[in-house]
Amino acid sequence: MDKFMERAVELALENILSGGQPFGAVLVKDNKIIAEGVNELHKSYDVSGHAELLAIRRAQQELKTNDLSGYTIYASGEPCPMCLSAMYFAGIEKAFYCQPVENAFEVGLERSKIIYAELQKPKAERLLSMVQIPLNEGQENPMKLWKSKLTKKDNDKSSRV
């Protein structure tokens, strides 16, 4: 087994012994561990306290960047939809996992199963009701403000060249 995967599994085993769930993750760049994480739901009472998310957060805070392009994550279990989404947002380009999500289902960790199924459904058929409330007429549009600030930054940069 790969040394980084061995470390992810070791973290998962240690986490079980300390009262946590069987998940560990290691974030790697240039053959070096940059950050690690384990599920800390039992400590933080935070549903986003997953191993992969914590490794990503720690790396981003330490490196002061949101861009983890060129990084690889090793996870003891197949990442859930939330962790997978974070990897996409961070620009992580490769993920390895040891145990497939079906193994988690077999031991009673089934939330991911529900979410994966829900994501396949049209919004109107999902268990979680999602209702759009449009902006009021004349109300400032946050997306347009964001775009104008980006355009201004780009113009400022190009005028300095």
Side-chain angles (χ1 to χ4, degrees):
M1 182 184 286
D2 178 282
K3 68 180 180 179
F4 299 122
M5 186 58 73
E6 282 184 14
R7 178 64 182 150
V9 171
E10 178 182 306
L11 288 167
L13 293 168
E14 290 171 3
N15 199 44
I16 294 166
L17 296 176
S18 72
Q21 294 178 336
F23 301 105
V26 177
L27 188 65
V28 174
K29 184 162 187 187
D30 298 327
N31 210 32
K32 181 180 177 228
I33 294 175
I34 305 302
E36 298 179 337
V38 296
N39 274 37
E40 294 184 1
L41 284 73
H42 65 295
K43 293 179 182 177
S44 64
Y45 302 99
D46 173 3
V47 296
S48 70
H50 287 203
E52 299 91 334
L53 285 176
L54 293 173
I56 290 168
R57 282 182 193 147
R58 289 171 180 146
Q60 289 178 327
Q61 288 170 352
E62 177 71 26
L63 302 168
K64 300 192 182 341
T65 184
N66 290 321
D67 183 8
L68 297 178
S69 301
Y71 288 73
T72 301
I73 200 154
Y74 293 80
S76 62
E78 185 174 351
C80 75
M82 178 174 59
C83 293
L84 186 61
S85 295
M87 290 178 212
Y88 276 105
F89 277 114
I92 292 172
E93 297 170 4
K94 193 176 277 189
F96 295 98
Y97 62 91
C98 186
Q99 294 189 283
V101 70
E102 292 79 13
N103 289 166
F105 303 161
E106 291 168 5
V107 297
L109 300 166
E110 295 188 353
R111 289 281 168 107
S112 291
K113 185 178 194 176
I114 295 165
I115 297 166
Y116 278 121
E118 286 289 295
L119 291 173
Q120 300 300 314
K121 297 177 185 176
K123 288 179 194 171
E125 294 177 21
R126 294 180 185 164
L127 296 172
L128 175 65
S129 174
M130 293 181 57
V131 180
Q132 180 188 8
I133 300 175
L135 294 170
N136 292 328
E137 191 173 323
Q139 188 175 7
E140 187 169 19
N141 184 322
M143 296 296 177
K144 286 183 179 178
L145 178 60
W146 172 255
K147 184 176 181 180
S148 72
K149 289 196 174 286
L150 289 179
T151 303
K152 183 179 178 338
K153 274 187 197 174
D154 290 342
N155 288 339
D156 289 349
K157 285 180 186 175
S158 63
S159 67
R160 286 187 232 142
V161 176

